[in-house]
Amino acid sequence: MAEPLFGFALRPHQQAILDYQGGRMAVSAVPGSGKTLVLALLAARLIVEGQLDESIETNAEVLVVTVQNSAVNNISQRIREILTREGLPPVGYRVCTLHKLASDIIRQRGDLAGVEEDFPIVDEATRRRLMHDAADVWIAAHRPLWESYLPLEEGEVSRYVQDQWRTETERVGREVTKLCKHLRLTPEQAAAALADKDVNPFLNMGIALYARYERYLQARSGLDFDDLIWRAIDALGQDATFLHNLRRRWPIILEDEAQDSSPLQEQILERLSGPEGNWVRVGDPNQAINSTFTAADPRYFRRFLQREDVERRPLPQSGRCAPKIIALANYLVHWTCDAHPDPAVRQAAFERQDILPTPADDAQPNPADDESQIYLRAEPYPDVETQAVEVARWAADLLRRRPEATMAILCPATWHGDQVVRALGGDEGGAQSGANIVDDLLRSTPQTRSVAAVLHAVLSYLGAPTSTRDLTRLYGELVEHHGGNASGDARRRRRSTLIRSIPPQQLLFPRAVVDLRDVLPPGVEAPREDLRALERFARQVSRWVRASALPIDQLVLTIAQDLYQSEEELAICHTIAASLRGTADMHPNWRLQSFADELREVARNRRQIGSMSLIDAGYVAQPGRIAVTTMHKAKGLEWDTVYLMCVDSLEFPSARGDAFRDELIFMGNRAPAVEARYQLERLVGDAPPPPEGPARSSVQKEPISLDLREGGSDEARIAYIAERLRLLYVGITRARRHLAVTYSATNGRRSVQPATALIELMRALDDLG
């Protein structure tokens, strides 16, 4: 081990990164290697050792850019603690998300970005609603064309098929809009660039939807998240003095989760760092699993890794998983790179970087192999429902034997997880041991649902402030929020009875009353303790009543400040407030009860709000409980035991001719949104040019010939196969001690086979021991 730094014992590879002296550095980190800790230590070291003193800017800072708000809090806290221990003031650093950085740049020079001073930021939920409205208008104007893609069944089109095509139409608009913005193309510029080209009809549809979506945004004078970065880049390019001042303020830039970088993200950080600047990028290309849903793509970080002007450093050691699980994950990478049936996938899927176990004396030793087990089931279950029931039974039985363990069942799709939750008793009609052992994380976390339930109760009452029933329900919800238990049930019932006996206006706004006894009905007695509790409740609720005329987002944040202290709960409230603000923009006539109804759906786990990750929402794996979520949402988390379900040829295809999850059967297995996106990239962007700087010629690979006759579908299939292999890798590396993998003979309405990768892992398992 290297010498400790700020009390942290470091591995040699970590120490090599912390020896950074400037310039460009790329850190390729494996799962569980401690990359976030290393970033925080590097920022603290640069400040403590006076690296910023060389800047003539008195307020110079190390800029740390990350993806998740939870990482912002984590890194900030670590840096602050180190500086305090070193006797230094907690200054000299700034940690923020990329969108926050872009927003702040625009607000400094809105004139350069061409925006109003108080521009609203449109959240993801509002963005989807705007595209939904754009699709409504486009379909109405092009009904014959739209319906020409639908199959007739005895002269009619089934409602299910229409709904599928309607959902896919919106997705076409979202995919094309996002990529156009990352290529910095307005709708008019995109249409002009494609005017003389043979364009896929779905791409034309997407451009039209983009244009209408933009008109809706402009009518609100709003910017979405992609606009923020685009406008910030424009601002930096229009005033050399402004850019120079920002470079002096942030002479060193550290970037987390660089594998999820997009064209805009690279451009803004490249511009801020400058040709000779200091830029450290940390990420794991083998965990890039978001390119299907976003403009992120691991190719961008890989290109940065290969540049000759970039110092490349690995973070290969991880103490998360047992060595045999590490070996299985490494085998998946090796098999894919060396022997996958499609040569293009061999190049696209993984970086060839092994996970290495930590040494025996490491502060985070790997779980022992003799305490670990891998089970790859060779026989299929007949269907997903049976698979869910059996996996739920396994998990519940194991939990009874090992209540101290953490456990997760990870699925490729939300509907698979719904089957598991039902089997575990996490909703009505469940057959297993009950909802008390289930953490249903498919749409939100229990903490998010708890916050939504409290806010629903508050808004329901504020929407009907003369309702004694709603006021009583609000009191009960607040008691639950503050940790109500069975021993306090009698006291709760007694106080609820008192609330029902007093008209709300007299309880909340008494006139010249110094004692609640004065407003109690004749003959009703109450202990002084109960009266004091009701007085506190009344003071709190009366503040909310007075604030109820505020815009919905400000009202929610006002309530949140009274109820919550933890950063995680406040972050959830901010997400809810932003989402409801967007809803208010779409529905200006909504009253408080309508917003309360929205939150009720979230509290009942029927709807997701915002786009918070499980980590941002404050989720921590709990012993004695079974987490059920998707493999995508599980990224960044770990459990002692992990079950991976539905590892089949539909969810993890291996050949370009396989059936793909996103393809529409009634359309001849085409995927309109994916085709539109990839043709747009090929015709206009070609996955934008690599950042400035020469590439390492020694690692260049031979080009692969692609069939582009289908307007980008061949490229899309290769990228999808590669990403699903990375998703399987992420799933495997969530398991610390025990891993089980299963599949079924059918997945939904389709017959499937075990994923080719699963077959190869089964063959290798005996050799891996």
Side-chain angles (χ1 to χ4, degrees):
M1 300 291 288
E3 288 294 320
L5 178 66
F6 305 129
F8 291 91
L10 300 174
R11 301 165 191 154
H13 293 94
Q14 293 173 329
Q15 182 62 61
I17 295 164
L18 294 173
D19 289 338
Y20 168 77
Q21 296 298 316
R24 281 161 162 64
M25 176 186 284
V27 179
S28 182
V30 302
S33 58
K35 61 183 179 60
T36 302
L37 171 63
V38 169
L39 269 183
L41 292 176
L42 177 55
R45 198 218 90 199
L46 293 169
I47 297 167
V48 170
E49 295 184 0
Q51 296 288 332
L52 295 177
D53 294 345
E54 299 175 3
S55 171
I56 60 174
E57 184 73 19
T58 57
N59 65 342
E61 298 171 320
V62 176
L63 175 63
V64 185
V65 179
T66 186
V67 173
Q68 297 176 334
N69 285 307
S70 59
V72 171
N73 297 331
N74 184 8
I75 295 172
S76 296
Q77 182 177 349
R78 287 185 185 274
I79 297 173
R80 184 168 56 249
E81 290 173 350
I82 291 170
L83 295 180
T84 300
R85 287 202 305 267
E86 296 295 316
L88 296 173
V91 297
Y93 63 96
R94 167 121 191 261
V95 187
C96 62
T97 64
L98 185 69
H99 294 120
K100 173 62 174 170
L101 172 66
S103 175
D104 289 349
I105 289 173
I106 294 174
R107 293 189 191 279
Q108 286 185 59
R109 292 298 306 272
D111 58 321
L112 298 177
V115 299
E116 298 178 4
E117 183 176 351
D118 296 322
F119 64 89
I121 299 174
V122 173
D123 69 355
E124 185 61 29
T126 303
R127 188 175 183 171
R128 284 178 174 269
R129 281 191 287 268
L130 292 176
M131 187 57 73
H132 178 89
D133 291 348
D136 277 346
V137 173
W138 189 90
I139 291 171
H142 303 83
R143 176 69 63 175
L145 173 61
W146 189 79
E147 289 183 344
S148 69
Y149 291 99
L150 296 171
L152 292 177
E153 297 178 3
E154 299 181 357
E156 295 183 357
V157 179
S158 73
R159 188 67 191 174
Y160 172 78
V161 168
Q162 287 191 64
D163 290 344
Q164 270 196 309
W165 180 213
R166 181 64 176 72
T167 299
E168 185 68 10
T169 300
E170 292 182 36
R171 189 180 172 204
V172 169
R174 291 196 302 271
E175 291 282 345
V176 171
T177 297
K178 179 172 282 292
L179 184 54
C180 280
K181 292 192 175 190
H182 278 263
L183 296 173
R184 299 168 66 190
L185 294 173
T186 65
E188 296 76 20
Q189 290 170 332
L194 298 172
D196 59 345
K197 296 181 172 65
D198 183 15
V199 176
N200 182 307
F202 304 130
L203 178 51
N204 279 327
M205 176 197 298
I207 298 296
L209 290 170
Y210 174 29
R212 184 159 294 278
Y213 168 86
E214 279 299 289
R215 285 198 288 273
Y216 291 160
L217 266 186
Q218 291 167 8
R220 291 162 173 76
S221 300
L223 301 179
D224 62 24
F225 291 140
D226 295 325
D227 289 328
L228 286 177
I229 308 176
W230 182 356
R231 298 294 182 92
I233 292 172
D234 284 349
L236 296 177
Q238 292 185 44
D239 188 330
T241 301
F242 178 51
L243 175 59
H244 176 70
N245 289 338
L246 289 180
R247 286 176 176 171
R248 289 171 53 185
R249 180 180 176 186
W250 299 313
I252 302 172
I253 299 176
L254 311 181
E255 178 190 359
D256 195 13
E257 300 291 355
Q259 79 277 353
D260 292 326
S261 62
S262 65
L264 286 180
Q265 180 171 334
E266 279 204 335
Q267 289 174 46
I268 191 171
L269 296 182
E270 181 91 48
R271 189 159 292 183
L272 279 173
S273 63
E276 306 299 326
N278 305 305
W279 184 15
V280 178
R281 310 187 71 188
V282 181
D284 182 359
N286 293 348
Q287 292 192 84
I289 57 173
N290 295 319
S291 59
T292 300
F293 310 106
T294 70
D297 195 304
R299 287 176 295 178
Y300 309 128
F301 184 47
R302 286 178 178 168
R303 287 172 175 172
F304 190 83
L305 283 166
Q306 307 306 332
R307 284 168 49 171
E308 290 183 347
D309 63 334
V310 171
E311 179 185 3
R312 179 170 180 170
R313 291 287 184 180
L315 267 182
Q317 291 180 306
S318 172
R320 172 184 293 169
C321 309
K324 65 171 62 173
I325 295 176
I326 287 177
L328 191 73
N330 287 340
Y331 182 85
L332 176 63
V333 173
H334 284 237
W335 169 78
T336 302
C337 292
D338 296 334
H340 191 279
D342 191 324
V345 174
R346 295 177 201 167
Q347 294 188 16
F350 291 109
E351 283 287 303
R352 193 187 294 272
Q353 175 166 308
D354 282 352
I355 306 172
L356 303 179
T358 57
D361 60 347
D362 193 85
Q364 186 190 14
N366 301 87
D369 266 347
D370 57 8
E371 299 173 357
S372 172
Q373 184 178 7
I374 298 174
Y375 175 61
L376 308 180
R377 182 179 169 88
E379 294 298 318
Y381 293 105
D383 50 48
V384 172
E385 183 177 5
T386 303
Q387 183 181 182
V389 169
E390 287 301 306
V391 170
R393 181 181 60 79
W394 286 358
D397 288 346
L398 181 60
L399 199 64
R400 281 190 282 271
R401 298 196 305 272
R402 297 174 180 166
E404 76 287 352
T406 59
M407 189 176 302
I409 300 173
L410 308 182
C411 311
T414 300
W415 76 268
H416 300 142
D418 287 334
Q419 299 277 345
V420 177
V421 171
R422 188 173 300 115
L424 283 167
D427 64 357
E428 295 180 4
Q432 289 294 333
S433 55
N436 61 320
I437 65 169
V438 184
D439 279 340
D440 180 352
L441 309 176
L442 293 164
R443 294 168 184 84
S444 61
T445 65
Q447 191 172 28
T448 299
R449 297 194 287 274
S450 173
V451 170
V454 171
L455 293 176
H456 161 258
V458 177
L459 295 185
S460 289
Y461 171 69
L462 296 181
T466 61
S467 169
T468 300
R469 182 189 63 179
D470 286 339
L471 185 60
T472 306
R473 287 178 176 173
L474 172 57
Y475 173 75
E477 194 65 53
L478 293 180
V479 170
E480 289 294 325
H481 164 65
H482 288 295
N485 52 53
S487 64
D489 282 351
R491 182 170 60 243
R492 174 179 172 179
R493 288 193 296 270
R494 192 171 64 241
R495 294 174 181 174
S496 295
T497 300
L498 288 174
I499 293 173
R500 284 192 293 269
S501 71
I502 307 172
Q505 61 271 25
Q506 293 186 26
L507 176 62
L508 302 183
F509 304 103
R511 294 184 177 181
V513 173
V514 295
D515 195 320
L516 277 180
R517 286 191 178 91
D518 296 340
V519 296
L520 290 175
V524 175
E525 297 291 335
R528 168 52 60 184
E529 177 190 7
D530 288 355
L531 293 176
R532 284 197 296 266
L534 290 190
E535 288 170 353
R536 291 192 297 271
F537 170 67
R539 283 195 300 270
Q540 189 170 62
V541 177
S542 65
R543 284 199 301 272
W544 300 339
V545 173
R546 293 187 180 96
S548 60
L550 291 171
I552 185 62
D553 56 325
Q554 296 179 34
L555 175 59
V556 167
L557 294 178
T558 298
I559 298 166
Q561 291 298 325
D562 285 344
L563 291 178
Y564 299 108
Q565 285 78 45
S566 78
E567 291 182 349
E568 292 82 6
E569 288 171 321
L570 288 171
I572 292 169
C573 291
H574 276 271
T575 299
I576 290 174
S579 181
L580 294 184
R581 181 187 63 224
T583 303
D585 290 340
M586 297 290 294
H587 303 283
N589 296 323
W590 271 26
R591 304 180 72 84
L592 286 176
Q593 188 56 53
S594 299
F595 295 111
D597 292 343
E598 287 281 294
L599 292 177
R600 180 184 58 206
E601 295 300 292
V602 177
R604 292 178 177 178
N605 204 24
R606 295 174 180 169
R607 185 173 302 167
Q608 180 175 340
I609 195 160
S611 55
M612 295 185 74
S613 69
L614 295 179
I615 298 175
D616 277 345
Y619 173 75
V620 178
Q622 297 295 323
R625 300 188 65 79
I626 302 171
V628 182
T629 191
T630 63
M631 296 180 191
H632 277 96
K633 287 180 178 289
K635 185 171 177 288
L637 299 170
E638 60 185 63
W639 294 268
D640 294 321
T641 299
V642 169
Y643 297 87
L644 302 182
M645 280 182 52
C646 299
V647 182
D648 57 50
S649 57
L650 178 63
E651 303 297 346
F652 299 90
S654 64
R656 302 182 207 184
D658 286 350
F660 283 60
R661 165 60 66 190
D662 291 334
E663 294 176 338
L664 302 178
I665 298 176
F666 65 83
M667 211 175 275
N669 287 334
R670 296 187 70 177
V674 178
E675 288 183 25
R677 172 183 169 178
Y678 275 86
Q679 193 189 40
L680 175 63
E681 183 180 273
R682 181 170 59 87
L683 294 178
V684 177
D686 193 24
E692 298 174 4
R696 290 186 173 91
S697 58
S698 60
V699 295
Q700 293 300 303
K701 299 178 179 179
E702 291 298 319
I704 292 295
S705 175
L706 301 178
D707 178 7
L708 302 179
R709 291 171 294 177
E710 295 300 325
S713 62
D714 213 38
E715 299 156 288
R717 287 168 180 263
I718 292 166
Y720 185 84
I721 292 169
E723 182 171 300
R724 300 305 278 191
L725 285 165
R726 293 192 294 270
L727 183 63
L728 180 58
Y729 176 86
V730 167
I732 290 170
T733 55
R734 300 312 94 192
R736 286 180 46 75
R737 290 180 170 83
H738 306 289
L739 174 69
V741 185
T742 62
Y743 71 104
S744 55
T746 61
N747 189 336
R749 302 181 179 186
R750 307 194 195 196
S751 297
V752 294
Q753 300 295 322
T756 301
L758 176 57
I759 295 172
E760 293 299 326
L761 293 178
M762 290 176 183
R763 292 173 178 167
L765 187 58
D766 289 340
D767 295 337
L768 296 175

